[in-house]
Amino acid sequence: MVARAKITTLTEFIIQRQSEYPHAKGALTRLLNDIATAAKIVNREINAAGLVDILGTAGKENIQGEAQKKLDVFANDMFITALKGGGECCAIASEENEKVISFSNEFSEMGKYVVAMDPLDGSSNIESNVSIGTIFSIYRRITEVGGGTSEDLLQPGVNLVAAGYVIYGSSTMLVYTTGKGVNGFTLDPSVGIFCLSHPDMQFPAQSKIYSINEGNYIYFPEGVKQYIKYCQQDDVSTHRPYTSRYIGSLVADFHRNLIKGGIFLYPGTKKQPDGKLRLLYECNPIAFLAEQAGGKASNGFKRIMEIDPETLHQRAPFFVGPREMVEQVESYMQQYA
Ligand code: P6P
């Protein structure tokens, strides 16, 4: 009889880890499970999306008889519904909503947490079947009573309680941290359970990938241009020239870099001085994961997680990956500032 390796499910893992937080009463556990539940529903729709296109008339109306929703709106609705129904979250900031979504029903007002999320990042890639993702981050609320407000959400990344992403790719994975390392769970679609598949994720010791949209080269700051030249120099002792890899989907690019080793860069440009990525629900959660995996995240001059957000959707130049690679970019940015 071949002994079957013990599978640790996401729920078991969260509960096991909850015991490490003496003050925890299970609320964060339930909140993380609410997010995982919504992710499974979104995953099912994403996998079916292509079929709707291929089969034409199929999916003309979804099971509720509603017109097929755009996937990112569908994903947004799913996460909002799950978080509102779970009672642990009193407000959400979403890439899809201009203002804070405050839950002022008596059930959710008691929620101790708020969530900043990008429900379906990179959704423009869905028709080309490129991996896309959900990015989430969790803060403790600051206000005492009532539905959450923007005050609860406009917190620096250093205040994060938890952060993670779901990548909808060749397999669907949920990767998250609560500040005690990074762990990855792969969805077994046959039973709808996330199983621990990547314990204690760390950037590899040697990294040789750089990810940047070089189509914007002429608009990059000089420090970034110099760094790209550095990546392309021939120096065996530092594994250069590096390999260039860019998917154009933040979660997919970051996940590959975390597994294989590499830096992701989305700098500010002459056209967009603060870059494209949003501090609250793209940069901060990815930065938290990167730091917990032994890496670093910077805007070129300052630790991303120490930036005090002023508005919900503010952008930030973003350099994230192994510590030494990010520090190399920072040195060029500061030298050519
Ligand atoms: P560009 C996707 O639209 C996204 O928000 C991120 O997922 C991705 O990293 C970035 O934009 C890609 O932007 O300008 O290179 O197409």
Side-chain angles (χ1 to χ4, degrees):
M1 168 80 160
V2 175
R4 183 180 166 83
K6 168 83 178 72
I7 292 173
T8 301
T9 68
L10 175 62
T11 301
E12 289 169 340
F13 185 87
I14 297 172
I15 290 170
Q16 282 165 16
R17 286 298 176 95
Q18 175 189 304
S19 60
E20 294 169 8
Y21 296 88
H23 57 278
K25 301 279 183 296
L28 182 61
T29 297
R30 289 188 292 275
L31 180 52
L32 286 167
N33 273 308
D34 292 342
I35 289 170
T37 300
K40 289 185 230 177
I41 296 169
V42 170
N43 177 64
R44 184 189 61 203
E45 288 301 305
I46 286 172
N47 290 338
L51 285 177
V52 171
D53 299 340
I54 291 167
L55 299 178
T57 54
K60 192 165 61 175
E61 286 193 347
N62 64 19
I63 48 173
Q64 295 88 355
E66 299 160 353
Q68 192 73 19
K69 286 184 178 176
K70 278 185 62 176
L71 269 175
D72 42 14
V73 174
F74 173 82
N76 198 42
D77 291 351
M78 280 304 106
F79 283 101
I80 292 170
T81 303
L83 292 170
K84 186 173 187 176
E88 307 302 346
C89 171
C90 62
I92 293 176
S94 168
E95 197 260 356
E96 293 293 328
N97 297 79
E98 186 187 349
K99 298 190 183 320
V100 169
I101 303 159
S102 179
F103 297 149
S104 48
N105 63 74
E106 60 179 318
F107 186 49
S108 301
E109 280 184 353
M110 311 297 286
K112 294 200 290 288
Y113 297 102
V114 293
V115 172
M117 67 175 185
D118 187 347
L120 204 57
D121 179 75
S123 53
S124 57
N125 293 304
I126 192 80
E127 62 266 26
S128 41
N129 220 359
V130 166
S131 300
I132 54 180
T134 295
I135 310 171
F136 63 88
S137 52
I138 301 171
Y139 293 96
R140 271 188 205 81
R141 71 180 301 170
I142 293 173
T143 56
E144 302 287 326
V145 292
T149 69
S150 52
E151 181 189 350
D152 295 305
L153 281 146
L154 290 175
Q155 299 188 51
V158 289
N159 291 359
L160 280 169
V161 171
Y165 58 80
V166 182
I167 179 167
Y168 310 99
S170 50
S171 64
T172 295
M173 279 190 69
L174 187 149
V175 177
Y176 86 98
T177 183
T178 57
K180 298 199 170 191
V182 179
N183 292 280
F185 300 79
T186 299
L187 181 66
D188 178 343
S190 65
V191 291
I193 294 175
F194 280 106
C195 304
L196 180 63
S197 54
H198 296 66
D200 194 19
M201 298 177 82
Q202 292 286 300
F203 283 108
Q206 286 177 9
S207 299
K208 56 172 294 181
I209 292 173
Y210 72 104
S211 311
I212 187 167
N213 182 344
E214 296 194 48
N216 297 322
Y217 183 85
I218 58 171
Y219 306 115
F220 288 154
E222 186 57 29
V224 171
K225 291 180 179 176
Q226 292 298 322
Y227 179 70
I228 292 172
K229 288 186 172 46
Y230 170 83
C231 293
Q232 295 169 346
Q233 285 166 352
D234 189 356
D235 177 3
V236 175
S237 68
T238 53
H239 317 294
R240 290 178 290 152
Y242 292 155
T243 298
S244 174
R245 287 284 183 274
Y246 192 74
I247 298 170
S249 182
L250 173 60
V251 170
D253 276 314
F254 178 76
H255 185 73
R256 183 218 38 251
N257 289 350
L258 177 58
I259 300 280
K260 292 182 176 288
I263 184 169
F264 175 87
L265 307 93
Y266 208 105
T269 63
K270 295 187 179 81
K271 292 192 293 185
Q272 286 185 308
D274 286 333
K276 175 180 183 183
L277 301 179
R278 314 294 182 140
L279 175 63
L280 208 59
Y281 42 77
E282 289 173 324
C283 301
N284 269 332
I286 297 296
F288 192 17
L289 289 161
E291 292 194 1
Q292 286 293 312
K296 189 171 184 182
S298 164
N299 67 359
F301 303 93
K302 181 172 184 177
R303 182 186 178 200
I304 282 286
M305 292 178 75
E306 288 178 352
I307 298 175
D308 287 317
E310 291 165 12
T311 59
L312 287 180
H313 303 287
Q314 80 181 61
R315 303 170 195 267
F318 194 42
F319 307 104
V320 61
R323 172 170 296 280
E324 64 284 353
M325 294 183 99
V326 175
E327 287 173 351
Q328 186 68 50
V329 185
E330 287 178 321
S331 66
Y332 278 113
M333 290 293 287
Q334 287 149 29
Q335 182 182 346
Y336 290 93

